[in-house]
Amino acid sequence: ELFDDKFKNMIHPDDWNTVFGGEENRAAARHNNLRFEYRMKSKDGYIWVEDYTDYITGLKKPFFQGAIMDITDSVRLSEKLNASIKAFRIAAKETHNLVFTYNRKEQAIYCDEKVTRGFGLNEHQTGVPYEIAKQGKIVSQDTVETYIHAYEAMIRGESLSLP
């Protein structure tokens, strides 16, 4: 049977402690405003949910009242993003090259630790390439124009021809 009348049976066994987890959860319940993320049975298997629950007192008998939202898509996207960030960090750490991500619209780069340390840039560095080139942070002053020419040719998809 997919559903039964016992809430506990709807929760993924690995998440029971998150939802029903011992004295600290019971103590927190007495102060209201509980928030949990866990897996719950659905018609398609388990989905991730976010549960906001309050423990209501003052009536004949205390009870829990809450709202549960499906956050499966958000959890999956977060997992993919975290895997991508982990792969980027591993690549940046293991390579002897400098690794950064360039945002052309913002004219900014998101730097790994080697770039920030090596060039004295911020992790999110704006003004790329024009401002920081002119400041002498990434190229010497006598090669600023060559650097900007090469950058602009690359953005246009042209072959680079350096003097």
Side-chain angles (χ1 to χ4, degrees), residues 89 100-101 108-113 115-116 120-126:
R89 287 187 176 146
F100 61 89
T101 303
I109 56 176
Y110 300 88
C111 307
D112 73 343
E113 188 178 328
V115 174
T116 58
L121 301 175
N122 298 319
E123 188 174 314
H124 174 234
Q125 179 66 54
T126 57

Side-chain angles (χ1 to χ4, degrees), residues 146-155 157-163:
T146 303
Y147 171 78
I148 290 174
H149 168 77
Y151 162 81
E152 290 174 345
M154 181 182 63
I155 293 299
E158 298 172 359
S159 299
L160 296 179
S161 57
L162 300 174

Side-chain angles (χ1 to χ4, degrees), residues 56-75:
I56 308 297
T57 59
L59 301 173
K60 290 182 182 179
K61 186 176 181 182
F63 62 95
F64 288 99
Q65 178 178 333
I68 297 174
M69 298 175 290
D70 182 347
I71 60 166
T72 304
D73 290 341
S74 295
V75 169

Side-chain angles (χ1 to χ4, degrees), residues 3 6-21 25 34-42 45-54 64-73 75-76 79:
F3 294 108
K6 296 196 184 269
F7 180 67
K8 184 174 183 178
N9 294 333
M10 296 175 65
I11 308 302
H12 190 284
D14 292 345
D15 296 330
W16 285 352
N17 193 49
T18 299
V19 178
F20 305 107
N25 283 2
L34 296 173
R35 182 192 162 280
F36 301 108
E37 288 183 11
Y38 55 90
R39 290 162 288 184
M40 177 181 254
K41 278 185 187 175
S42 78
Y46 284 98
I47 61 170
W48 279 96
V49 297
E50 187 170 34
D51 181 339
Y52 292 91
T53 300
D54 282 335
F64 288 99
Q65 178 178 333
I68 297 174
M69 298 175 290
D70 182 347
I71 60 166
T72 304
D73 290 341
V75 169
R76 300 288 180 255
E79 288 169 350

Side-chain angles (χ1 to χ4, degrees), residues 74-88:
S74 295
V75 169
R76 300 288 180 255
L77 288 172
S78 180
E79 288 169 350
K80 286 181 182 179
L81 178 61
N82 288 336
S84 177
I85 289 169
K86 182 178 178 181
F88 176 81

Side-chain angles (χ1 to χ4, degrees), residues 23 25-32 34 55:
E23 190 58 38
N25 283 2
R26 285 190 288 281
R30 292 184 197 103
H31 295 87
N32 297 337
L34 296 173
Y55 185 65

